[in-house]
Amino acid sequence: MKRNTCVSLIFVIILSCLVIPPTMAENLVNRRPTRGVFGVKVGILSEGAFKADYRRETDLAASGEVFADLPLFRRTYFAIAFDFHKIEVGQHEQFMLDAAAGFKTVIVHRRLDMEFKPWATVGMGHLNKINYYGETNYLSIKLGFETHFAISRKTSWLVELTTLYCPVGGNREYNVIYGPVYMIRFGLALR
């Protein structure tokens, strides 16, 4: 296994061990049913690195997501997300599709009618032929933070800051690493 892949996997495992168990333990004691959250986000994907036979830089591009947060415990959701990212490498562009699942924890600020949601997901990405690389698949790791601003009891605006990293991927001809890249997205969430 390559050194970068090992470091990435160790980072994800350590983060999971530090964040998820304390949240789940607290929620097991205070279990209450809550409603699921569904929504959509659109925004910008930063420039980043696309490494195959050699390193290429990607351009600033569009990004979007449709998501569902299903209640798991009082302040923990099981998150399912379907993303699309426009990837531009040199003169070539294509859409990357990504399906991911993970956990979100919720910190509520009642006086300001806000919710803060740090989260982590792992998924699979697919990029159609770009340049001469052919179709490629990826393991995608996303770490992010959402802030929800309540409009009503069932609706909220949200702002998200996310890091996307694809440490392992490619096809039979090329091993491809994508990222890390950063996203800022805005959206609407419904309960």
Side-chain angles (χ1 to χ4, degrees):
M1 205 182 282
K2 293 183 179 179
R3 185 174 184 270
N4 288 343
T5 304
C6 289
V7 171
S8 300
L9 291 174
I10 290 169
F11 174 73
V12 169
I13 290 167
I14 290 171
L15 181 69
S16 299
C17 291
L18 293 175
V19 174
I20 295 171
T23 303
M24 292 177 77
E26 185 261 328
N27 289 323
L28 283 171
V29 175
N30 300 313
R31 187 172 181 153
R32 286 188 203 158
T34 58
R35 290 185 174 186
V37 178
F38 305 94
V40 63
K41 306 172 200 173
V42 292
I44 297 172
L45 184 69
S46 75
E47 298 172 346
F50 185 87
K51 302 171 197 164
D53 49 349
Y54 58 92
R55 181 185 169 111
R56 299 170 189 263
E57 294 299 316
T58 61
D59 295 330
L60 204 64
S63 175
E65 177 179 282
V66 175
F67 68 92
D69 298 339
L70 308 172
L72 193 58
F73 302 108
R74 181 173 166 235
R75 291 189 178 137
T76 303
Y77 289 92
F78 179 71
I80 301 169
F82 298 97
D83 290 67
F84 64 90
H85 313 290
K86 185 176 178 183
I87 307 294
E88 296 181 25
V89 179
Q91 301 296 322
H92 306 278
E93 61 184 51
Q94 193 59 261
F95 280 98
M96 178 180 178
L97 304 175
D98 180 23
F103 296 97
K104 287 185 183 179
T105 186
V106 180
I107 303 163
V108 178
H109 193 298
R110 297 207 189 283
R111 279 192 301 150
L112 298 177
D113 275 340
M114 294 171 61
E115 290 181 343
F116 305 99
K117 294 184 177 182
W119 55 270
T121 62
V122 175
M124 286 300 297
H126 177 80
L127 182 64
N128 287 330
K129 182 178 179 181
I130 190 166
N131 204 355
Y132 55 85
Y133 294 115
E135 292 185 3
T136 51
N137 295 308
Y138 303 88
L139 168 70
S140 66
I141 299 169
K142 291 188 291 183
L143 303 172
F145 186 85
E146 292 176 2
T147 303
H148 289 244
F149 303 94
I151 300 171
S152 68
R153 290 188 69 199
K154 295 186 177 187
T155 310
S156 62
W157 293 109
L158 68 93
V159 176
E160 172 193 66
L161 298 173
T162 305
T163 300
L164 168 66
Y165 184 50
C166 300
V168 178
N171 55 27
R172 291 183 180 176
E173 297 175 37
Y174 295 98
N175 289 323
V176 179
I177 297 172
Y178 177 60
V181 291
Y182 307 96
M183 293 178 268
I184 181 165
R185 298 192 283 198
F186 302 92
L188 184 68
L190 306 170
R191 293 187 187 278

